[in-house]
């Protein structure tokens, strides 16, 4: 005989509180805003990745005969601008930060929910302006917008694109401000600073960088636009300006921006490594302080992008020294993650595979960064494919691997459903293999002297370029598969339950997906973070 | 891979020849970094793999806490990492400082970057595009400038790279130690045909170099051989009417130019500056900003009027002027 009351379908928490379009577009729930960001940046990721695919296609041939030079120049500019400002910078902070941060500190939302929604709208506005710049013909300055090329010589939509980035910057600032206040004011009772998960520390430090550095980018772009639009001499020597001033300002933002892209990843990886080895993170305080010192020292090293720019020799020496020093805390973090695994009880779930991928790729990226901090060696490697490979190892090998790991780790919390583990492991391994195949050959190309932003190159470089392009194809598969199974699992995956990984952390003490107000009762914290039972 | 190996343009030493005096020194630092990083990467990989296998869930390995205090381990890591980093910092910096110590007393070759070509002007008067001829084992000094946007003079075989910044005269040098033809790239993105702003540096043995200097044979692309840079500068000097104020017959309306190079100059605002290439360059293009004490400022701005290459020729002309009597030095 069937039961009298058939079991109600499991509630989908915040997901079932309103299903209209308006309920999403007018939401003030940090979890829904996180999903809005997730869709938006996935869209931009696909655009940026398509540009990369076209570039890798062109680079299979040395003659540059598959597209015009102007097309190629627009593609790498598009790729850089879209990936940096419309994917990487918002990736972990705006998606995972928005979703997890309030949950992880036991709060009902961020400090300013309306501002949070406004940030997303500002971001979308900036994105649409950037898309418009691309659709009406693109920009050919490179994402770095070096003057006087961008301010005087380029015949492309520099002003529109700069406006898009300028606008999107305000979204960064607002999000950063929101998170800083949230961490200061909304922590659950008992959640002292040194009980915060490292993910929260990382998002907090990143938010400080967002608030302090982004205005400088806005100023820089505004000055460039003033010169381009109104002939005010700031950067162009013909108007009495100084082209290197632009580089100083640009890198004063853009070096810290590297840490906006990597620090949140370090936070995510700390969560994953600890959870999947069932051990508290090794050297918790050192980890927290290294996050802060990276964020601070990161503001003092911008001149390492200018060793051959004709800046003073002594400035170069100082910037080189500081760049070595900023690498120390990063190296310490790697050692601590490995020490966390030591004597743990390790299971190889998909999130850990991504975390291990992060460890390997970030280490290679960091070690090759040391080459570039070394003055005499950087003179040779600067502006070659070595640099391209290096920062992709950091920003994609590090940043995107951590983002993917974090998405998988918190997916059960976000969707209430499990993803298919087999497919997920397959794509994690595919991404790792494809990534190395794509970017490792570029270290060799750079050492041999292939300059960046060259689509016409000596035939000797073809083999390595073909290998790199083949790797990009593998990488594309690795990225597309999760798109499919995550979408599928959102609707059809099996129920996750509140805490499928048996993780510590307040976000796991509430149902999956959480109700709109996050917690039935405000949790009270009495224990240190990562308090796993003794093994 | 195509049939032509890099050695064809690289001088025949494997993938990337060491063709300048500091190429081997840069490579030794690079090799040291490579060995240390590869060693470190390998060590961490093996260590992590061992840990992953040994401490997988359900394995028998001991889970007892390590007995060394955490702070001791952390301190050891921080100190060791910092020490290794400082070692490489010192190595890289000392080689770099040597690379930037530009030998004195060599006549410079002027190289002007322009979208999208290299304009090379020799002190002997030759002019070439996208090709630079130099003599083996003889230090070469370059004065780099740009007509428009930033370019970068990059010769991988020499491990040499230097940006050409508009509005600036930047020095670079190298001592070619291996005969051959080497790729020259523009390494700083400069617009549409950036990837085609390439050229070659030809290092010739002394006798071949002499033959090249002597005739057109060696330099098929040379422009106007025979007209010395200084002589060309003299023509420009007349063309823009410089002589009217700076010439010998002009009285004391403007500073005399003979002997001014590398001497001290007192400016109208009281500062003393060294009349180096950069100063002469700025004084020609933006005279009002470089007003010399004791003279009424009547010289117009030549910015955008005199092309960059001609400015460098004018500087060559000023350098070549016979020294003036002591009383006339400003
Ligand atoms: Cu940097
Ligand atoms: Cu160029």
């Amino acid at each position: 005989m069937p039961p009298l009351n058939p079991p109600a379908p499991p509630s989908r928490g915040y997901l079932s509180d309103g299903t209209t379009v308006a309920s999403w577009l007018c939401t003030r729930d940090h979890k829904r805003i996180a999903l809005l960001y997730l869709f938006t940046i996935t869209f931009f990721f696909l655009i940026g990745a398509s540009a990369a695919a076209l570039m890798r296609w062109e680079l299979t041939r040395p003659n540059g005969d598959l597209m015009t030079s102007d097309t190629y120049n627009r593609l790498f500019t598009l790729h850089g601008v879209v990936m940096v400002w419309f994917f990487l910078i918002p990736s972990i902070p705006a998606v995972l930060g928005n979703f997890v941060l309030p949950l992880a500190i036991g709060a009902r939302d961020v400090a300013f929910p309306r501002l949070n929604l406004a940030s997303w709208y500002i971001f979308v506005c900036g994105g649409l302006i950037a898309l418009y710049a691309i659709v009406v013909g693109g920009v050919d300055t490179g994402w770095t917008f070096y003057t006087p090329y961008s301010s005087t010589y380029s015949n492309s939509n520099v002003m529109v694109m700069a406006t898009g980035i300028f606008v999107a910057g305000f979204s960064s600032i607002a999000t950063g401000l929101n998170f800083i206040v949230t961490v200061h004011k909304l922590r659950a009772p008992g959640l002292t600073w040194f009980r915060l998960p490292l993910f929260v520390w990382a998002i907090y430090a990143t938010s400080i960088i967002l608030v302090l550095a982004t205005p400088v980018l806005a100023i820089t772009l505004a000055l460039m636009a003033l010169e381009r639009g109104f002939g005010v001499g700031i950067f162009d020597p013909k108007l009495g300006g100084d082209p290197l001033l632009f580089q100083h300002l640009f890198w004063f933002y853009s070096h810290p921006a590297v840490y906006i892209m990597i620090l949140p990843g370090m936070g995510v990886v700390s969560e994953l490594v600890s959870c999947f080895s069932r051990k508290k993170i090794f050297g918790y305080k050192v980890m927290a302080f290294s996050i802060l010192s990276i964020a601070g020292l990161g503001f003092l090293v911008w001149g390492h992008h200018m060793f051959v720019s004709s800046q003073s020799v002594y400035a170069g020496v100082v910037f080189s020294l500081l760049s070595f020093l900023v690498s120390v805390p990063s190296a310490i973090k790697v050692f601590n993650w490995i020490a966390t695994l030591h004597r743990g009880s390790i299971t190889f779930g998909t999130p850990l595979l991504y975390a291990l991928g992060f460890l390997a790729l970030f280490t290679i990226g960091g070690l090759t960064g040391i080459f570039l901090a070394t003055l005499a060696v950087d003179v040779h490697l600067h502006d070659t494919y070595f640099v391209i490979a290096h920062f992709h190892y950091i920003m994609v090998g590090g940043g995107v691997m951590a983002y993917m790991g974090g998405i998988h780790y918190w997916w059960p919390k976000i969707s209430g459903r499990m993803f298919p583990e087999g497919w997920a492991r397959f794509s994690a391994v595919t991404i790792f293999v494809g990534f190395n195949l794509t970017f490792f050959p570029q270290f060799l190309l750079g050492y041999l002297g292939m300059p960046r932003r060259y689509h016409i190159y000596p035939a000797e470089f073809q083999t390595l370029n073909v290998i790199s392009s083949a790797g990009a194809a593998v990488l594309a598969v690795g990225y597309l598969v999760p798109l499919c199974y995550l979408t599928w699992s959102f609707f059809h995956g099996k129920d996750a339950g509140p805490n499928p990984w048996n993780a510590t952390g307040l976000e796991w003490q509430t149902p999956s997906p959480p109700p709109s107000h996050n917690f039935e009762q405000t949790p009270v914290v009495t224990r240190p973070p990562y308090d796993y039972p003794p093994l | 891979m195509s049939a032509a190996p890099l050695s064809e343009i690289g001088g025949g030493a494997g993938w990337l020849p060491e063709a300048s005096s500091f190429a081997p020194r840069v490579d030794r630092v690079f090799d040291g970094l490579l060995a240390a990083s590869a060693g470190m990467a390998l060590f961490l990989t093996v260590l992590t793999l061992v840990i992953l296998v040994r401490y997988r869930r359900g394995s028998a390995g001991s889970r007892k806490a390590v007995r060394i205090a955490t702070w001791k381990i952390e301190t050891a890591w921080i100190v060791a990492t910092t020490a290794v980093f400082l070692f490489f910092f010192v190595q890289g910096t000392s080689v770099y400082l040597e690379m930037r110590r530009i030998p004195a007393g060599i006549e410079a070759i002027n190289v002007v970057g322009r979208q999208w070509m290299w304009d090379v002007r020799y002190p002997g008067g030759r002019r070439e595009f996208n090709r630079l001829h130099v003599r083996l084992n003889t230090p070469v000094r370059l004065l780099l400038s740009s007509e428009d946007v930033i370019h970068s003079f990059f010769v991988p075989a020499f491990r040499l790279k230097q940006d050409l910044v508009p509005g600036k005269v930047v020095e670079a040098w190298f001592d070619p130690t291996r005969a051959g033809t080497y790729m020259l790239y523009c390494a700083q993105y400069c617009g549409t045909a950036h990837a085609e702003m390439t050229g070659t540096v030809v290092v010739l043995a002394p006798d071949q170099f002499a033959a090249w200097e002597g005739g057109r044979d060696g330099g098929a692309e040379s422009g106007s051989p025979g007209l010395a840079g200084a002589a060309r500068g003299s023509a420009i000097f007349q063309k823009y009417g410089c002589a009217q104020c700076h010439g010998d017959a002009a009285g004391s309306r403007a500073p005399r130019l003979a002997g001014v190079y590398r001497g001290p100059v007192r400016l109208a605002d009281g500062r003393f500056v060294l009349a180096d290439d950069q100063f002469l360059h700025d004084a020609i293009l933006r005279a009002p900003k470089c007003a010399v004490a004791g003279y009424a400022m009547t010289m117009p701005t030549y910015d955008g009027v005199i092309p960059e290459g001609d400015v460098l020729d004018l500087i060559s002309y000023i350098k070549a002027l016979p020294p003036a009597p002591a009383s006339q030095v400003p």
Side-chain angles (χ1 to χ4, degrees):
Chain A
M1 191 176 144
L4 286 173
N5 297 317
S11 160
R12 298 204 74 184
Y14 75 101
L15 291 171
S16 26
D17 278 2
T19 48
T20 60
V21 173
S23 76
W24 282 89
L25 294 184
C26 301
T27 183
R28 266 153 282 157
D29 182 344
H30 66 100
K31 301 181 286 301
R32 287 189 169 218
I33 293 170
L35 287 189
L36 292 176
Y37 271 112
L38 176 65
F39 295 128
T40 320
I41 70 165
T42 305
F43 169 72
F44 280 111
F45 176 82
L46 292 174
I47 292 177
S50 309
L54 288 171
M55 284 154 68
R56 285 315 324 170
W57 176 60
E58 163 70 83
L59 287 169
T60 55
R61 302 160 64 92
N63 312 325
D65 49 1
L66 296 175
M67 57 184 71
T68 65
S69 297
D70 279 328
T71 306
Y72 184 83
N73 296 344
R74 278 160 172 75
L75 282 175
F76 70 66
T77 305
L78 188 172
H79 174 72
V81 167
V82 166
M83 286 305 204
V84 168
W85 283 298
F86 297 99
F87 175 69
L88 282 167
I89 286 195
S91 62
I92 297 181
V95 177
L96 296 173
N98 251 319
F99 195 96
V100 177
L101 179 74
L103 288 164
I105 62 170
R108 306 214 144 179
D109 207 317
V110 293
F112 309 116
R114 285 166 202 272
L115 180 65
N116 201 15
L117 181 64
S119 304
W120 179 73
Y121 276 103
I122 296 169
F123 178 70
V124 170
C125 278
L128 289 176
I129 297 169
L131 278 183
Y132 175 75
I134 292 165
V135 170
V136 296
V139 179
D140 72 344
T141 60
W143 77 282
T144 45
F145 290 99
Y146 269 19
T147 54
Y149 184 72
S150 63
S151 59
T152 308
Y153 290 85
S154 168
N155 293 310
S156 61
N157 304 287
V158 177
M159 295 290 256
V160 185
M161 188 60 102
T163 309
I165 298 165
F166 181 86
V167 170
F170 287 94
S171 151
S172 286
I173 296 170
T175 301
L177 194 69
N178 217 335
F179 288 171
I180 291 173
V181 178
T182 305
V183 174
H184 274 274
K185 304 306 272 184
L186 299 184
R187 280 170 289 132
L191 188 55
T192 57
W193 283 91
F194 287 113
R195 284 179 180 172
L196 287 176
L198 289 172
F199 177 71
V200 175
W201 271 113
I203 293 290
Y204 177 75
T206 305
S207 302
I208 292 175
I209 304 178
L210 282 170
V211 170
L212 292 183
T214 316
V216 179
L217 173 72
I219 292 164
T220 314
L221 292 174
L223 291 176
M224 188 261 286
L226 268 180
E227 180 165 290
R228 189 175 170 88
F230 306 99
V232 181
I234 298 158
F235 304 124
D236 187 348
K238 295 222 165 84
L239 301 169
D242 180 357
L244 294 192
L245 175 63
F246 178 87
Q247 296 182 25
H248 282 291
L249 290 170
F250 181 83
W251 291 113
F252 185 83
Y253 163 80
S254 290
H255 186 83
V258 174
Y259 295 118
I260 297 175
M261 297 179 241
I262 196 66
L263 277 178
M266 293 173 161
V268 169
V269 166
S270 300
E271 304 301 310
L272 307 188
V273 168
S274 171
C275 172
F276 284 83
S277 49
R278 319 299 308 156
K279 248 185 86 202
K280 90 174 198 300
I281 206 88
F282 188 86
Y284 168 83
K285 280 199 179 176
V286 175
M287 292 295 256
F289 282 120
S290 41
I291 289 173
L292 292 178
S293 59
I294 290 171
L297 278 174
F299 277 100
L300 305 177
V301 298
W302 76 90
H304 65 205
H305 297 268
M306 299 170 65
F307 288 158
V308 300
S309 72
S310 80
Q311 83 177 350
S312 123
V313 168
Y314 302 103
V317 172
V318 173
F319 281 121
S320 167
L321 178 63
L322 289 167
S323 304
F324 274 98
L325 293 184
V326 78
S327 329
V328 173
S330 298
I332 299 312
K333 292 186 82 71
V334 171
F335 298 145
N336 279 338
W337 285 316
I338 296 174
T340 304
L341 291 166
H342 182 244
R343 304 205 168 171
S345 173
I346 301 163
T347 48
F348 296 91
T350 304
L352 186 73
L353 295 188
Y354 277 110
L356 294 173
F358 170 98
L359 272 184
L361 302 180
F362 177 74
T363 301
I364 296 174
L367 289 170
T368 50
I370 296 297
F371 287 62
L372 297 172
T374 308
L375 279 163
V377 175
D378 182 70
V379 169
H380 176 57
L381 298 176
H382 181 76
D383 271 337
T384 68
Y385 263 84
F386 193 96
V387 174
I388 305 289
H390 157 71
F391 74 69
H392 280 87
Y393 266 82
I394 296 286
M395 282 149 62
V396 184
V400 179
M401 287 302 259
Y403 173 70
M404 294 294 288
I407 288 284
H408 283 82
Y409 179 65
W410 282 297
W411 186 252
K413 187 55 61 183
I414 293 170
S415 68
R417 304 290 165 88
M418 294 307 288
F419 51 81
E421 184 70 22
W423 280 107
R425 288 185 191 181
F426 164 78
S427 66
V429 173
T430 308
I431 289 174
F432 183 79
V433 172
F435 179 88
N436 282 300
L437 209 53
T438 308
F439 291 104
F440 202 84
Q442 297 183 7
F443 284 124
L444 292 169
L445 282 170
Y447 175 74
L448 293 174
M450 179 162 164
R452 67 192 291 192
R453 297 169 173 173
Y454 265 49
H455 64 305
I456 300 167
Y457 57 82
E460 299 78 39
F461 296 144
Q462 191 176 10
T463 307
L464 288 168
N465 270 299
V466 168
I467 296 171
S468 179
S469 295
V474 177
L475 195 53
V477 173
Y479 284 135
L480 287 173
V481 172
L483 214 55
C484 302
Y485 68 72
L486 286 179
T487 310
W488 174 87
S489 83
F490 190 88
F491 300 102
H492 308 291
K494 70 175 197 298
D495 280 328
N499 191 359
W501 314 118
N502 270 318
T504 64
L506 296 177
E507 73 270 30
W508 303 106
Q509 296 181 17
T510 190
S512 306
S516 293
H517 49 281
N518 290 354
F519 296 95
E520 294 302 335
Q521 279 167 338
T522 303
V524 177
V525 181
T526 54
R527 291 187 301 178
Y530 312 111
D531 194 23
Y532 289 100
L535 293 163
Chain B
M1 185 172 278
S2 111
L6 260 187
S7 53
E8 190 177 294
I9 49 165
W15 274 11
L16 186 62
E18 294 174 335
S20 75
S21 57
F22 43 65
R25 310 213 42 205
V26 172
D27 279 6
R28 289 305 79 78
V29 182
F30 183 93
D31 294 345
L33 283 164
L34 189 62
S37 322
M40 195 65 203
L42 193 69
F43 167 73
L44 291 179
T45 307
V46 171
L47 179 71
T48 308
L49 288 177
V50 167
I51 288 175
L52 290 176
V53 172
R54 227 165 128 204
Y55 301 108
R56 68 192 187 279
R57 187 170 67 191
S59 74
S62 159
R63 296 325 201 264
K64 269 194 232 117
V66 179
R67 269 189 296 171
I68 310 166
T70 303
W71 73 267
K72 286 185 187 164
I73 300 176
E74 300 286 357
T75 310
W77 283 342
I78 294 171
V79 171
T81 311
T82 310
V84 173
F85 283 180
L86 285 181
F87 171 76
F88 283 112
F89 163 74
V90 169
Q91 274 211 319
T93 301
S94 63
V95 174
Y96 174 74
L97 290 178
E98 245 171 83
M99 289 162 73
R100 294 303 305 165
R101 197 172 298 130
I102 293 153
I106 313 170
E107 264 195 297
I109 301 173
N110 297 332
V111 177
V112 178
R114 184 181 310 135
Q115 286 177 326
W116 291 276
M117 58 163 77
W118 300 97
D119 180 349
V120 179
R121 300 169 187 220
Y122 297 89
R126 276 207 186 193
R127 187 171 173 189
E128 289 190 289
F129 292 100
N130 300 332
R131 191 180 293 199
L132 171 63
H133 283 86
V134 294
R135 181 169 35 195
L136 183 65
N137 292 325
T138 310
V140 177
R141 192 162 74 98
L142 302 175
L143 281 185
L144 304 166
S145 188
S146 165
E147 197 84 63
D148 36 49
V149 302
I150 302 176
H151 303 277
S152 191
F153 186 92
F154 178 32
V155 183
F158 297 161
R159 312 295 185 274
L160 171 68
K161 186 180 291 115
Q162 178 61 56
D163 283 6
L164 289 69
V165 182
K168 276 184 112 170
V169 182
V170 185
E171 280 182 290
W173 77 284
F174 58 92
D175 184 354
T177 53
R178 174 192 281 273
T181 303
Y182 305 103
M183 279 301 289
L184 159 68
Y185 299 99
C186 174
Q188 184 61 269
Y189 176 69
C190 56
T192 305
H194 166 61
E196 288 163 279
M197 189 168 162
T198 56
T200 47
V201 179
V202 185
V203 180
L204 297 172
D207 51 333
Q208 286 173 300
F209 186 77
W212 171 80
E213 261 189 325
R216 287 163 175 272
D217 325 342
E221 288 170 31
S222 49
S224 48
L227 179 57
R232 214 164 42 221
S234 166
I236 299 163
F237 195 73
Q238 303 300 330
K239 178 178 163 195
Y240 290 100
C242 311
Q244 286 161 24
C245 297
H246 291 285
D248 288 331
S252 56
R253 252 184 293 166
R256 283 290 81 71
L257 299 175
V260 73
Y261 182 64
R262 296 210 74 81
V265 175
R266 192 159 70 89
L267 297 186
D269 62 9
R271 283 182 301 141
F272 274 93
V273 295
L274 179 73
D276 56 4
D277 296 281
Q278 179 74 55
F279 174 78
L280 293 178
H281 178 270
D282 292 350
I284 293 168
L285 290 183
R286 288 178 288 276
K289 289 194 174 169
C290 306
V292 174
Y295 296 95
M297 176 43 66
T298 52
M299 182 165 161
T301 299
Y302 283 97
D303 218 352
V305 178
I306 309 181
E308 197 63 34
D310 288 354
V311 175
L312 295 183
D313 281 341
L314 274 176
I315 296 174
S316 302
Y317 168 72
I318 293 169
K319 289 179 193 169
L321 286 172
S327 64
Q328 286 190 338
V329 174

